[in-house]
Amino acid sequence: MSLTDAVSHLSPERWEKANRLLVRKALAEFAHERLITPERTDGGYVVRSDDGLTYYRFTAVRRALDHWQIDADSITRTRDGAELPLAALDFLIELKSTLELSDEILPVYLEEISSTLSGTCYKLTKPQITAAELVDGGFQAIETGMTEGHPCFVANNGRLGFGVHEYLSYAPETASPVRLVWLAAHRSRAAFTAGVGIDYESFVRQELGEETVERFDGVLRERGLDPADYLLIPVHPWQWWNKLTVTFAAEVARGNLVCLGEGDDEYLAQQSIRTFFNRSAPEKHYVKTALSVLNMGFMRGLSAAYMEATPAINDWLAQLIDNDPVLKSTGLSIIRERAAVGYRHLEYEAATDRYSPYRKMLAALWRESPVPSLRDGESLATMAALVHVDHEGRSVAGALIERSGLAPAEWLRHYLRAYYTPLLHSFYAYDLVFMPHGENTILVLKDGVVQRAVYKDIAEEIAVMDPDAVLPPEVRRIRVEVPENTKLLSIFTDVFDCFFRFLAADLAAEGILEEDGFWRTVAEVTREYQDANPELADKFRQYDMFAPEFPLSCLNRLQLRDNKQMVDLSDPSGALQLIGTLKNPLAGF
């Protein structure tokens, strides 16, 4: 690729369109989080800059949960009566004080916005595929066809650390096949842990194939090293070139780390950017790697210490689901993180606390593939796809409803029983919460209808909110103390505000299902669950799904406050930015 080809996606027309889309999202989500307060005018709304001289005017539909559905084409920017082009960077600078952006955070946030805009420009070069065509494209076509990223976060494709050539090689939307780099790590500094019934030797041979393992062993023997003294670790190519060769130079020089070359299988990066789907053998495990790239409020590393308990936590949860008749009846499953490997750099450990990015540079885990569990006629789609809207303004959810031939509320009921009922039951029966956003949930579909849900990203994301819960020793780290009044935010914020808000708005905008009908159906499925489980009646009263309102928890505020580490992982609930309340759309039912 030539130097100029690398930036061919950055044309004036695409840049203008990307900025319009991003300013639309910023106005909508910042208004939702009450960072800005649009004023009503004759034909719509206006937002003024900090100095009061620049005006952003637009039209919008206000929906449930204080959702702002803004018409991107209606947005204008004027200063002293003269119309100016929409520019996201200018927008953030003009509203810097209003958005409470500090001098330290602002430039890094602008860089993340620039990267997000650049990614949008790249996506605008791809052939325009309708939502209906995307649904037919299959699991990985849907995964790489997503254009929006997280629906709430404005700067959601920062990926600071990627150069443009690396973006084109490793960003999920480019759908470029990737071969992972494999390192041999000396057992004195590395640890492999696995779920019940898995041993290292046979697992690695199954994943890599006999020939590749022999080839790698040969590299070690040629250097006079004994393969039995080493564990194999898969590494993101970016991490090898940009971090390990420099930051871990001592380990390479001493022979604690030996680069063995690339594996044979081709992988595709997933929406989470550091997780890979095996394209060569879809039934084999996903591989999740450490990636020291700043993306959406965190350095996307993986902690070696965290990896040790990962398989045990997954086994524990799989057993809990298996033994629970309500969860079994919904069809819920998890794709378990079956094995993990981590490398401890002793000098960086001596120099840092346990949350430091320096401790998260070299680890990996293997997660089951959902492909082998499919039955005849079933297909897979990331749940994030439901709120993907194509160039014609049609959502994937709408395309699935059409495909199914069901009444929209009936289609929704199937989806809710598969995805939402298990979340209710986990909360009420076990004080167990997930991080069930669109990228962490895979839907199993048949003829457009959701059959069941598959949750993923288990060990790093689940929590048991009962301080007295009796858990096996290796699982205890998932126990957290959360204030009583914020416990239900695991559903109100993570599900209602961060996902259903967008799904309901899309279906209403397309004229498929009125908002009232959407939330009535959610209320009915909630009641249906509660009526079927009367033994939990006290808990239903204590944590009321039909309460008139709930606290508004703001995600962008977290990122605007600290975009390198949005949340203190040792105290996740302490980091919440709670600003006023939202009316609960279930309260009326």
Side-chain angles (χ1 to χ4, degrees):
M1 176 184 291
S2 75
L3 294 171
T4 50
D5 283 348
V7 291
S8 62
H9 59 292
L10 297 175
S11 71
E13 301 75 31
R14 284 193 280 269
W15 188 253
E16 191 187 341
K17 180 160 189 188
N19 273 273
R20 182 166 288 279
L21 292 172
L22 196 126
V23 169
R24 183 212 66 75
K25 185 173 188 178
L27 286 166
E29 289 307 301
F30 293 162
H32 174 72
E33 296 192 12
R34 299 168 194 176
L35 281 154
I36 57 178
T37 310
E39 300 162 41
R40 205 64 237 225
T41 62
D42 307 340
Y45 296 90
V46 65
V47 167
R48 295 167 214 266
S49 58
D50 292 340
D51 65 9
L53 300 177
T54 305
Y55 288 61
Y56 289 86
R57 290 187 175 85
F58 55 89
T59 60
V61 178
R62 304 277 303 272
R63 298 195 180 278
L65 291 171
D66 210 6
H67 182 63
W68 290 76
Q69 205 162 35
I70 295 174
D71 174 9
D73 292 334
S74 73
I75 306 169
T76 60
R77 172 184 173 221
T78 53
R79 189 170 180 89
D80 299 331
E83 189 158 339
L84 297 171
L86 292 185
L89 301 182
D90 288 341
F91 174 82
L92 293 163
I93 291 164
E94 288 167 357
L95 281 97
K96 178 191 160 194
S97 303
T98 305
L99 299 174
E100 297 169 33
L101 273 160
S102 69
D103 291 344
E104 186 193 2
I105 298 291
L106 179 61
V108 186
Y109 191 70
L110 293 180
E111 191 180 357
E112 290 182 275
I113 290 287
S114 299
S115 174
T116 300
L117 289 166
S118 175
T120 303
C121 288
Y122 174 83
K123 291 166 191 170
L124 290 170
T125 67
K126 294 172 79 172
Q128 293 189 326
I129 294 175
T130 65
E133 289 167 333
L134 193 61
V135 167
D136 289 333
F139 188 28
Q140 289 308 297
I142 294 170
E143 186 76 32
T144 57
M146 296 296 90
T147 54
E148 183 44 66
H150 195 295
C152 299
F153 284 103
V154 176
N156 63 16
N157 282 326
R159 300 161 181 172
L160 298 191
F162 278 1
V164 70
H165 56 304
E166 294 159 327
Y167 168 85
L168 295 169
S169 301
Y170 307 130
E173 59 268 21
T174 65
S176 306
V178 176
R179 285 199 164 94
L180 299 176
V181 174
W182 287 81
L183 305 185
H186 199 270
R187 285 176 182 262
S188 62
R189 295 201 168 199
F192 175 88
T193 49
V196 178
I198 290 178
D199 72 281
Y200 172 77
E201 273 302 320
S202 53
F203 181 78
V204 165
R205 286 179 186 274
Q206 222 175 330
E207 276 296 299
L208 280 166
E210 296 287 341
E211 277 178 36
T212 308
V213 174
E214 292 308 321
R215 186 172 91 233
F216 288 168
D217 284 356
V219 174
L220 291 168
R221 288 195 191 97
E222 267 171 33
R223 295 181 56 159
L225 302 170
D226 182 353
D229 293 339
Y230 288 83
L231 294 170
L232 299 184
I233 301 187
V235 172
H236 195 297
W238 186 94
Q239 195 75 352
W240 168 249
W241 288 113
N242 292 280
K243 283 292 169 194
L244 303 179
T245 51
V246 180
T247 313
F248 281 49
E251 304 305 284
V252 176
R254 293 176 188 146
N256 285 332
L257 286 178
V258 180
C259 184
L260 305 170
E262 291 182 341
D264 295 329
D265 286 354
E266 289 191 336
Y267 289 86
L268 283 175
Q270 301 295 281
Q271 283 290 309
S272 62
I273 206 163
R274 57 182 166 159
T275 302
F276 290 97
F277 178 85
N278 193 322
R279 191 176 90 150
S280 305
E283 70 287 349
K284 284 192 194 173
H285 290 74
Y286 286 95
V287 181
K288 185 173 182 176
T289 56
L291 185 63
S292 300
V293 162
L294 185 70
N295 196 45
M296 226 168 70
F298 288 103
M299 190 67 77
R300 297 289 161 176
L302 269 189
S303 152
Y306 249 55
M307 287 304 100
E308 288 189 25
T310 288
I313 291 169
N314 279 263
D315 280 350
W316 171 82
L317 181 60
Q319 200 176 358
L320 182 146
I321 292 170
D322 222 34
N323 293 335
D324 184 283
V326 178
L327 295 176
K328 284 286 274 194
S329 70
T330 65
L332 176 72
S333 62
I334 59 167
I335 39 180
R336 288 173 297 177
E337 290 143 7
R338 296 295 278 146
V341 61
Y343 186 89
R344 297 180 61 182
H345 192 301
L346 303 181
E347 292 77 8
Y348 287 127
E349 282 195 15
T352 58
D353 72 10
R354 66 194 176 115
Y355 298 112
S356 166
Y358 283 95
R359 295 193 182 198
K360 299 176 181 177
M361 287 191 185
L362 185 49
L365 63 80
W366 286 268
R367 177 188 292 144
E368 291 170 318
S369 165
V371 172
S373 69
L374 289 180
R375 300 168 198 145
D376 271 357
E378 291 182 337
S379 62
L380 299 165
T382 175
M383 190 175 86
L386 292 185
V387 294
H388 169 84
V389 176
D390 68 18
H391 55 286
E392 295 171 352
R394 295 181 183 280
S395 67
V396 165
L400 289 171
I401 290 169
E402 198 170 314
R403 170 80 36 93
S404 74
L406 296 175
E410 193 50 35
W411 182 92
L412 183 62
R413 199 169 277 114
H414 283 273
Y415 159 66
L416 293 170
R417 284 173 184 152
Y419 163 68
Y420 168 67
T421 300
L423 295 173
L424 289 177
H425 187 64
S426 300
F427 178 87
Y428 285 109
Y430 302 107
D431 291 288
L432 168 68
V433 296
F434 295 83
M435 182 55 75
H437 55 62
E439 195 278 311
N440 270 355
T441 308
I442 296 170
L443 301 177
V444 180
L445 303 162
K446 187 173 184 180
D447 302 324
V449 183
V450 179
Q451 304 296 303
R452 55 188 190 281
V454 182
Y455 296 166
K456 67 182 180 74
D457 216 354
I458 300 304
E460 288 198 282
E461 302 279 27
I462 65 168
V464 172
M465 301 189 296
D466 173 6
D468 305 320
V470 180
L471 298 171
E474 63 276 23
V475 175
R476 276 182 201 147
R477 84 148 192 248
I478 68 170
R479 194 166 57 194
V480 294
E481 280 205 51
V482 176
E484 282 297 299
N485 64 332
T486 62
K487 281 187 177 177
L488 252 187
L489 292 186
S490 65
I491 290 174
F492 284 146
T493 299
D494 298 348
V495 181
F496 284 20
D497 193 31
C498 294
F499 199 78
F500 287 178
R501 170 163 67 94
F502 299 92
L503 182 57
D506 289 344
L507 294 177
E510 286 180 79
I512 291 172
L513 181 62
E514 283 308 315
E515 275 191 291
D516 211 38
F518 183 97
W519 292 109
R520 178 182 289 109
T521 309
V522 177
E524 285 168 2
V525 172
T526 308
R527 283 258 185 262
E528 171 187 274
Y529 164 70
Q530 293 186 346
D531 291 345
N533 296 277
E535 70 284 2
L536 294 168
D538 289 347
K539 290 284 286 276
F540 299 149
R541 275 192 292 277
Q542 188 181 356
Y543 304 107
D544 182 8
M545 284 299 303
F546 295 89
E549 54 186 28
F550 57 84
L552 166 61
S553 180
C554 300
L555 301 189
N556 284 288
R557 283 178 181 266
L558 293 173
Q559 197 178 4
L560 293 167
R561 186 183 59 184
D562 182 354
N563 49 359
K564 294 198 179 80
Q565 174 135 342
M566 287 194 307
V567 174
D568 173 1
L569 298 173
S570 61
D571 179 22
S573 61
L576 294 179
Q577 288 267 313
L578 302 176
I579 307 294
T581 59
L582 289 173
K583 281 200 182 90
N584 180 3
L586 299 197
F589 302 104

